[in-house]
Amino acid sequence: MSAVTEPVDGLSLRGITRRFGARQAVAGVDLDVRRGQVLCLLGPSGCGKSTTLRIAAGLERPDTGLVFAAGRLVEGNGHHVPPEQRGVGLMFQDYALFPHLSVRANVAFGLNRLPRAEQIARADRELARVGLARLAEAYPHTLSGGEQQRIALARMLAPEPAVILMDEPFSGLDASLRETLRGTTLARLREANVAVLIVTHDPDEAMRVGDRVALMGAGKIIQEGTPLELYRAPKVPQAVALFGGANVFHTKVTPEGVRSPFGLVPANGVATGSWAEILFRPGNVRLADRGIQAVVVGVRPFGGATEVEARIVPDFLPEGVESPATVRASAPPGALLIPGLEIRLEADPNDGFVFPCFDKVCWA
Ligand code: ADP
Ligand code: MG
């Protein structure tokens, strides 16, 4: 067996695997989340995020691998510490508050080893921290979604766990409320100095919330790092596309490099004659006075600029380069653009990301 690196003070997963029938849901996951840190586990539906989280929580057993919480082995090598004894707080999308219990009793629920008076004092203190002391006597069904979320947060933190596990905690909220609650939740979690693992399928959320982001695909972590590391040095095409998508071109590598509509891109180690895919982020493709010709198909505001969807005029596509049906580019906020208008697009070839591509379909 290979050496296992030391677990951290928060949550550590080592070599976690889990199969359901023929389906390898988790295929060898290693993760570390330190106290005071938020790690977002990001990936498409079905890639194994929830199973990983459930294994960390102890709700699911792995086939192989180790789980450490606060440096203590809680799963593996014959150990299985049940969820309530792991020092781990959980939150799911539906919050799972107990309908027959008052808000205060909900928050006190995990404190049954403390004397009654202390349970109440601590529950009230947690409620005050999320600004809901006035609702202590209320019942969950009388509360808004946002209030229920904050009560779930208070309940989760009341037993002072070292590790917090949240599965899509903001997905059930409408956009404006989500933004606010994300802010207050994160502030409270930082104050509590816990290790936080948040599962999400939303790249924007992961980039806003995570100190680190672990990108998951088909049961594996395919890249892990800070949002800035993923932005600057994406190791997989999926990471390029996390920040507002990507324009993906395909071509065979020539001895000079990789041809693209925006010029020759360095081959990044892909062998001459092999298929490569070249990705340009929409933000790096600009409306310009020169460059390739394209026809506007659609226009929409996007992140303080205007995003233009355009069809490249075929004559401007270098030989052997396959283009998506339309490309996305950025224009200044005030640009007057209408469908059918001819425009020119340019990009710095150094902003192109090249990856090997075996079947030309790849990931997109
Ligand atoms: P995610 O949370 O990323 O959407 P999941 O971890 O829920 O993914 O699921 C990963 C894969 O494992 C999926 O193919 C899913 O159908 C399968 N799976 C998860 N839980 C079970 C289960 N209890 N029984 C059978 N298959 C499951
Ligand atoms: Mg899930």
Side-chain angles (χ1 to χ4, degrees):
M1 192 174 157
S2 63
V4 174
T5 49
E6 278 291 298
V8 297
D9 58 358
L11 174 73
S12 291
L13 306 182
R14 297 287 180 268
I16 300 291
T17 66
R18 180 69 161 99
R19 177 185 282 278
F20 295 106
R23 179 137 201 127
Q24 191 71 49
V26 183
V29 164
D30 297 308
L31 271 183
D32 284 311
V33 195
R34 295 170 188 283
R35 288 189 82 146
Q37 208 175 54
V38 177
L39 182 131
C40 285
L41 185 57
L42 171 69
S45 177
C47 75
K49 306 181 297 297
S50 291
T51 305
T52 302
L53 178 135
R54 291 169 58 78
I55 288 169
L59 299 169
E60 189 91 62
R61 303 286 305 266
D63 295 330
T64 64
L66 308 174
V67 179
F68 298 87
R72 180 171 68 111
L73 183 70
V74 293
E75 183 76 64
N77 289 345
H79 295 266
H80 174 74
V81 178
E84 63 279 9
Q85 290 167 26
R86 288 190 177 196
V88 163
L90 296 172
M91 192 193 285
F92 298 98
Q93 191 183 328
D94 61 3
Y95 313 134
L97 297 174
F98 305 113
H100 58 290
L101 296 181
S102 70
V103 164
R104 177 183 288 125
N106 262 280
V107 177
F109 185 80
L111 305 175
N112 51 8
R113 272 171 296 181
L114 298 178
R116 183 80 194 131
E118 201 174 319
Q119 289 181 34
I120 290 170
R122 213 195 279 187
D124 286 351
R125 192 180 68 205
E126 286 301 328
L127 281 171
R129 281 181 173 149
V130 296
L132 291 180
R134 68 200 149 79
L135 295 178
E137 316 281 337
Y139 282 80
H141 71 273
T142 65
L143 308 176
S144 71
E147 288 164 343
Q148 292 187 27
Q149 194 270 357
R150 280 145 77 193
I151 287 156
L153 179 66
R155 181 179 63 179
M156 181 172 76
L157 290 172
E160 300 182 339
V163 177
I164 292 293
L165 304 170
M166 302 166 101
D167 197 345
E168 309 269 1
F170 308 111
S171 315
L173 304 162
D174 64 67
S176 60
L177 187 58
R178 189 185 308 148
E179 190 88 353
T180 314
L181 276 182
R182 249 189 338 223
T184 52
T185 302
L186 264 291
R188 179 69 195 100
L189 291 172
R190 292 202 185 283
E191 198 178 59
N193 191 38
V194 284
V196 184
L197 176 68
I198 301 180
V199 160
T200 179
H201 66 272
D202 176 357
D204 290 337
E205 179 163 290
M207 295 310 158
R208 277 163 193 270
V209 164
D211 300 309
R212 304 184 69 80
V213 174
L215 186 57
M216 193 167 184
K220 292 197 165 91
I221 306 297
I222 49 183
Q223 187 170 0
E224 199 260 13
T226 65
L228 204 57
E229 285 166 353
L230 267 70
Y231 180 78
R232 287 191 178 147
K235 290 191 188 130
V236 289
Q238 292 94 320
V240 177
L242 288 177
F243 306 86
N247 297 303
V248 187
F249 301 90
H250 293 103
T251 192
K252 279 187 178 168
V253 178
T254 70
E256 296 78 47
V258 184
R259 289 198 188 112
S260 89
F262 309 111
L264 269 181
V265 183
N268 193 24
V270 184
T272 300
S274 313
W275 281 99
E277 61 179 25
I278 316 105
L279 291 85
F280 283 90
R281 291 182 172 132
N284 289 337
V285 180
R286 289 171 303 275
L287 206 69
D289 296 330
R290 53 203 197 94
I292 59 165
Q293 246 176 42
V295 178
V296 174
V297 175
V299 182
R300 59 175 178 165
F302 187 79
T306 300
E307 188 175 277
V308 189
E309 188 184 350
R311 193 164 22 80
I312 295 176
V313 173
D315 288 351
F316 285 81
L317 212 55
E319 185 160 344
V321 175
E322 295 179 3
S323 166
T326 59
V327 294
R328 290 158 58 204
S330 59
L336 276 176
L337 296 162
I338 48 164
L341 190 71
E342 280 217 346
I343 54 172
R344 288 188 176 257
L345 298 175
E346 69 171 6
D348 183 340
N350 294 315
D351 287 335
F353 293 97
V354 173
F355 295 97
C357 178
F358 303 107
D359 55 8
K360 265 202 312 160
V361 180
C362 298
W363 64 279

